[in-house]
Amino acid sequence: MIQVTEVRHDGRNPMAEVAPDQDAAPSEEAASSEDAASGEGTAPGPRTPAVTAGVAVLSVLALAFLAVSGYFGYTHWQAERAAQQRSEIVDAASQGVVNLTTMDFQRADEDVQKVLDGSAGEFRDEFEARSKDLIAVMQEAQVKSVGEVRQAAIERQDGDSADVLVAVAQKVSNAGGAAEEPRSQRMRVTMQLEDGTYKIVKAGFVQ
């Protein structure tokens, strides 16, 4: 059978098909890929309520930790400062009692001055007023006394003032050669902070 092909007057074969232009327009799949790629650089969406709540909880815990650390740090500093203050009071009271109970006629002026330097207020004024008579008696009788603090503790404290109980042993000798055995006594001295130093403002024996 003979197939007849129609020949058009313009010379083109009507059987010939024109292939579609593949570069003319992107396919739907390619467009979707481009959209996805273009979305990678965009800003993230808003945080969810769970994330926001978690951040808030962490912030509160951090602040609470800082507050607790600060509180314990401050209380520790206070405790150290109080312990240091008590130590200063007891040391000053002990030295003051040693000065009161240790006298040597050969250096009477120096020993009396030690007492004056470690005292204040009315107690200092009274001791200074009687110091000349005390020195005269010591030199005449050639008195020597040595005091040794055995124990000391704060009985009461109110700010920069404190009463301290001091146990002291005192040994006394004189020109006659007599030497007493150490006598144990208890004294109560009131200490007061004066010019950055704790000084005796009152002293007496405890029965």
Side-chain angles (χ1 to χ4, degrees):
M1 182 176 180
I2 301 173
Q3 183 175 3
V4 179
T5 302
E6 180 183 2
V7 179
R8 297 178 62 178
H9 294 289
D10 56 7
R12 290 185 296 175
N13 190 345
M15 299 298 292
E17 296 181 359
V18 180
D21 188 359
Q22 296 181 355
D23 298 330
S27 63
E28 295 181 359
E29 182 180 355
S32 299
S33 298
E34 290 180 2
D35 292 341
S38 63
E40 291 180 357
T42 59
R47 295 179 178 177
T48 62
V51 174
T52 303
V55 172
V57 170
L58 289 176
S59 299
V60 171
L61 290 177
L63 291 174
F65 175 78
L66 291 176
V68 171
S69 299
Y71 170 77
F72 282 109
Y74 178 70
T75 54
H76 179 69
W77 176 85
Q78 278 188 318
E80 286 189 343
R81 179 67 187 92
Q84 180 181 356
Q85 185 183 35
R86 289 193 297 270
S87 178
E88 291 175 359
I89 292 172
V90 171
D91 289 346
S94 299
Q95 186 60 53
V97 170
V98 168
N99 293 340
L100 283 170
T101 56
T102 301
M103 296 283 177
D104 188 333
F105 74 95
Q106 294 177 324
R107 56 172 191 271
D109 292 336
E110 179 182 344
D111 289 341
V112 166
Q113 188 60 48
K114 288 181 180 179
V115 175
L116 294 176
D117 291 342
S119 59
E122 294 182 3
F123 177 82
R124 185 187 189 285
D125 295 339
E126 292 178 3
F127 191 89
E128 185 176 24
R130 299 176 181 178
S131 61
K132 291 182 179 181
D133 293 338
L134 175 62
I135 292 173
V137 171
M138 289 176 58
Q139 291 176 340
E140 181 180 355
Q142 299 183 359
V143 175
K144 292 183 179 181
S145 65
V146 178
E148 180 184 358
V149 171
R150 300 289 176 83
Q151 192 174 4
I154 294 176
E155 181 182 32
R156 178 201 62 84
Q157 182 178 356
D158 183 11
D160 293 330
S161 177
D163 290 337
V164 183
L165 290 176
V166 182
V168 58
Q170 185 183 32
K171 184 176 181 180
V172 181
S173 62
N174 55 35
E180 297 181 355
E181 292 296 324
R183 293 185 302 170
S184 295
Q185 304 176 88
R186 288 198 308 161
M187 296 184 66
R188 177 184 286 112
V189 292
T190 300
M191 309 299 296
Q192 179 67 44
L193 186 63
E194 296 283 343
D195 299 328
T197 305
Y198 285 96
K199 297 184 178 183
I200 296 177
V201 294
K202 186 177 181 180
F205 290 101
V206 179
Q207 300 298 329

